[in-house]
């Protein structure tokens, strides 16, 4: 634990660890005691989300001084490139499903970001990517991401052969259609990223029966058990939102993740306080 | 009676996949996709384009012109030279969507839960329940720290505790959903048997 506070440490952002203490100081300064300050914060639940968002922005600014941020390894992220490589070896396309929630949803935005990264690996390996969609807006964003990824790698041939198309916005017909595509193309790697509902097990079970490597990422808590049982790897909740930043290894996005860690520590502090209060 | 027979035939076609993939299953699958796509298209025309754009315009409401124009910009994706114009409404959607979702999500998923943790407890059972809830919430949250976690014994133990609690929750959800799916199957079989036998 001592190593955590060593100077110039590249793993633990020291500034971030100081931030929760700074929050408590602010609370104490604005109230007669830290307990009263926390009480004040918890009493105003409507404004608290905005307070936390401001706090996260403050933490992001704090991370600028950190030289290098290292994020812990997530097995599912490491497996993505391996899955695409497997598809390349087998001469089969990669199938990418972006879930049922349309693009304004944060999960759909995260899914399209990951799609861009997977498409970039596909472009390097000269492997086509197929992506059926249940929403036209998500489809447009996906087309843009894939086109950009292939153009960056100067792989213009595969842009046209990669298929990104709209199927239907109804839940079970979409599942039936994806299963039909899986049966027809026999992809060797299937990615399920986004928000899924009751169709999740229908999709993943069929994909597994076809012998594909399956990697899922979702924020739907109710569907996680099905992805765990039928997929090879799963990005659980928050991991799903950080995956694209980890793949890109983009310093700015990694700083945001580190800053959000600090916001989570604040949440943990409030949780401890709230738990202690329940006994009073 | 004819409709009932069609329903029965389609159910049998779908269940025929349990034997192996066959043309009857494929026909029913494609019928389902086609019908839903056609139905969805009609609904969008009626409840979206006509009800939210054409009707207000007829009544003199000009405020719908701006969203109408933004929507029209999506059509430019059909032409290679003007395809970039579709990025603007898409950016608008992304920005407003993310902004509108983050605030309420923090409130419902974090703040309300923290507040609920602070409600007064009385009695040994409630105290045990609350303590288990507290440890599970704290350790699960700890598992989702990405940059500040170190590979120490405490870290592995506490994050592992979080994973164990999450797996228990997932197991319970899995069992519950399997039960509801089986009840759906029983319901279908029951309706077929009642109707025809």
């Amino acid at each position: 634990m001592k190593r955590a506070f060593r100077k110039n440490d590249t793993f633990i952002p020291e500034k971030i660890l100081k931030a929760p203490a700074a929050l408590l100081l602010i609370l104490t300064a604005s109230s007669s005691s830290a307990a009263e300050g926390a009480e004040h914060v918890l009493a105003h639940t409507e404004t608290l989300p905005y307070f936390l968002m401001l706090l996260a922005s403050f933490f992001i600014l704090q991370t600028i001084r950190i030289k290098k941020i290292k994020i812990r390894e997530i097995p599912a992220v490491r497996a993505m490139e391996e899955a695409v490589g497997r598809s390349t070896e087998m001469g089969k396309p990669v199938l990418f499903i972006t879930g049922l929630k349309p693009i304004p949803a944060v999960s759909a935005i995260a899914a399209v970001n990951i799609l861009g990264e997977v498409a970039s690996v596909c472009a390097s390996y000269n492997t086509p990517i197929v992506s059926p969609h249940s929403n036209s807006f998500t489809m447009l964003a996906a087309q843009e991401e894939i086109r950009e990824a292939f153009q960056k790698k100067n792989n213009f041939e595969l842009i046209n052969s990669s298929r990104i198309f709209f199927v239907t916005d109804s839940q079970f017909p979409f599942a039936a259609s994806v299963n039909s595509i899986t049966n027809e193309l026999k992809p060797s790697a299937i990615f399920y990223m986004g928000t899924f509902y009751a169709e999740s097990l229908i999709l993943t079970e069929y994909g597994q029966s076809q012998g594909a490597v399956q990697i899922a990422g979702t924020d739907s808590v109710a569907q996680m058990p099905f992805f765990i049982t039928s997929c090879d790897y799963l990005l659980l909740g928050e991991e799903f939102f950080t995956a694209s930043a980890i793949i890109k290894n983009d310093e700015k996005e990694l700083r945001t993740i580190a800053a959000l860690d600090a916001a989570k520590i604040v949440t943990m502090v409030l949780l401890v306080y709230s738990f202690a209060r329940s006994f009073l | 009676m004819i409709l009932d027979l069609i329903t029965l035939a389609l159910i049998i076609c779908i269940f025929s996949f349990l034997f192996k993939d066959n043309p009857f299953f494929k026909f029913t699958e494609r019928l389902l996709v086609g019908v839903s796509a056609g139905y969805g298209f009609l609904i969008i025309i009626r409840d979206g384009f006509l009800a939210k754009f054409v009707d207000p315009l007829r009544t003199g409401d000009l405020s719908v012109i701006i969203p109408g124009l933004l929507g029209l910009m999506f059509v430019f994706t059909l032409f290679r030279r003007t395809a970039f114009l579709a990025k603007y409404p898409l950016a608008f959607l992304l920005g407003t969507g993310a902004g509108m979702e983050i605030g309420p999500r923090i409130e419902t998923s974090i703040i309300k839960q923290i507040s609920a943790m602070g409600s007064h407890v009385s009695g040994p059972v409630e105290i045990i329940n609350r303590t288990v809830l507290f440890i599970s919430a704290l350790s699960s949250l700890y598992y989702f720290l990405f940059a500040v976690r170190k590979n120490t014994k405490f870290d592995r133990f506490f994050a592992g505790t979080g994973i164990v609690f999450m797996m228990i929750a997932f197991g319970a959800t899995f069992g519950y959903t399997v039960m509801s799916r089986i009840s759906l199957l029983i319901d279908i079989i029951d309706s077929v048997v009642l109707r025809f036998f």
Side-chain angles (χ1 to χ4, degrees):
Chain A
M1 287 301 285
K2 275 181 186 174
R3 218 182 139 260
F5 299 99
R6 198 181 286 170
K7 259 192 171 181
N8 297 326
D9 197 327
T10 56
F11 195 88
I12 290 262
E14 200 177 315
K15 292 274 172 191
I16 278 178
L17 287 175
K18 282 179 184 169
L23 170 79
L24 283 177
L25 273 174
I26 294 164
L27 290 171
T28 316
S30 60
S31 322
S32 57
S33 67
E36 200 180 300
E39 196 76 47
H40 178 79
V41 169
L42 286 171
H44 295 81
T45 53
E46 285 170 7
T47 50
L48 203 49
Y50 305 102
F51 171 71
L52 278 176
M53 277 193 258
L54 272 175
L55 209 64
S57 310
F58 167 72
F59 293 148
I60 292 169
L61 288 172
Q62 289 292 307
T63 57
I64 292 169
R65 292 181 191 176
I66 301 160
K67 280 182 184 171
K68 196 185 176 189
I69 290 168
K70 197 178 169 189
I71 302 289
R72 75 174 164 87
E73 212 171 62
I74 299 171
V77 173
R78 199 179 47 205
M80 282 181 187
E81 194 169 344
E82 286 168 18
V84 178
R86 186 175 182 260
S87 285
T88 313
E89 280 171 11
M90 296 175 85
K92 288 175 178 176
V94 167
L95 189 64
F96 199 105
I97 321 293
T98 52
L100 283 190
K101 244 185 177 179
I103 198 79
V106 179
S107 61
I109 298 169
V112 171
N113 272 338
I114 296 172
L115 170 63
E117 298 313 314
V118 172
S120 181
V121 180
C122 286
S124 307
Y125 288 5
N126 214 21
T127 304
I129 184 164
V130 178
S131 183
H133 291 272
S134 63
N135 181 270
S136 49
F137 296 139
T138 318
M139 179 201 70
L140 279 173
Q143 281 176 339
E144 200 59 45
E145 278 285 333
I146 291 175
R147 191 181 297 127
E148 213 173 291
F150 277 78
Q151 276 172 352
K152 267 185 190 169
K153 301 280 175 184
N154 290 323
N155 194 335
F156 298 98
E157 287 170 27
L158 275 179
I159 293 176
N160 293 333
S161 62
S162 295
R163 288 184 285 170
I164 307 104
F165 52 91
F166 171 78
V167 184
T168 172
D169 56 357
S170 304
Q171 185 184 11
F172 292 111
F174 176 70
S177 171
V178 170
N179 282 355
S180 176
I181 293 162
T182 309
N183 186 38
E184 195 184 309
L185 298 174
K186 305 254 180 311
S188 132
I190 309 177
F191 294 85
Y192 304 96
M193 300 287 163
T195 303
F196 290 86
Y197 301 98
E199 78 288 353
S200 64
L201 192 60
I202 300 168
L203 296 172
T204 51
E205 203 181 14
Y206 194 75
Q208 199 194 42
S209 73
Q210 298 293 319
V213 170
Q214 299 195 106
I215 301 173
T218 187
D219 61 338
S220 328
V221 180
Q223 304 309 319
M224 283 175 191
F226 307 113
F227 285 123
I228 288 170
T229 48
S230 54
C231 289
D232 299 279
Y233 295 94
L234 172 67
L235 291 164
L236 270 171
E238 190 80 10
E239 289 177 345
F240 164 57
F241 294 110
T242 56
S244 73
I246 296 170
I247 306 167
K248 267 189 216 167
N249 203 20
D250 181 66
E251 274 296 311
K252 276 183 194 168
E253 288 189 32
L254 292 179
R255 283 177 204 286
T256 314
I257 293 169
L260 285 174
D261 269 12
K264 279 176 213 159
I265 292 169
V266 171
T267 311
M268 285 164 87
V269 170
L270 285 173
L271 200 67
V272 172
Y273 173 75
S274 196
F275 176 66
R277 196 179 61 161
S278 67
F279 293 99
L280 299 174
Chain B
M1 188 63 189
I2 293 168
L3 271 177
D4 288 344
L5 280 171
I6 293 169
T7 310
L8 178 68
L10 291 175
I11 288 172
I12 292 167
C13 284
I14 289 288
F15 275 109
S16 69
F17 184 74
L18 291 171
F19 173 61
K20 71 174 200 180
D21 197 11
N22 61 73
F24 297 107
F25 169 75
K26 277 185 178 164
F27 166 75
T28 320
E29 192 183 48
R30 280 157 175 72
L31 184 73
L32 182 70
V33 176
V35 167
S36 78
Y39 179 74
F41 179 73
L42 276 176
I43 292 291
I44 285 171
I45 294 290
R46 194 191 68 183
D47 296 349
F49 183 68
L50 292 176
K52 288 183 178 161
F53 183 69
V54 177
D55 289 349
L57 266 185
R58 275 184 188 160
T59 54
D61 182 8
L62 298 177
S63 65
V64 293
I65 289 178
I66 295 168
L69 281 174
L70 280 171
L72 194 70
M73 284 165 99
F74 280 118
V75 181
F76 290 112
T77 45
L78 296 172
F79 314 103
R80 190 173 284 182
R81 281 188 179 181
T82 54
F84 72 95
L85 284 169
K87 282 183 182 177
Y88 296 101
L90 206 59
F92 181 78
L93 268 175
L94 284 170
T96 50
M100 282 169 74
E101 197 176 325
I102 290 169
R105 193 175 260 228
I106 293 174
E107 196 180 342
T108 51
S109 309
I110 303 171
I111 314 299
K112 297 275 182 199
Q113 312 299 328
I114 296 172
S115 299
M117 185 69 80
S119 61
H120 185 68
V121 285
S122 57
V125 178
E126 255 191 61
I127 289 172
I128 292 167
N129 272 347
R130 185 63 58 88
T131 310
V132 171
L133 196 68
F134 169 70
I135 296 168
S136 63
L138 204 67
S139 56
S140 303
L141 200 57
Y142 182 79
Y143 172 79
F144 288 107
L145 292 177
F146 295 101
V148 295
R149 265 178 62 188
K150 302 286 288 180
N151 194 17
T152 58
K153 271 186 184 173
F154 170 78
D155 171 82
R156 283 195 297 271
F157 170 74
F158 205 49
T161 310
I163 278 284
V164 167
F165 276 114
M166 279 191 275
M167 289 305 149
I168 292 168
F170 292 151
T173 314
F174 188 86
Y176 178 75
T177 313
V178 168
M179 265 173 61
S180 67
R181 297 272 169 100
I182 287 173
S183 70
L184 270 176
L185 177 72
I186 293 167
D187 191 45
I188 289 172
I189 293 170
D190 198 36
S191 65
V192 169
V193 170
L194 282 175
R195 231 180 264 176
F196 296 99
F197 305 104

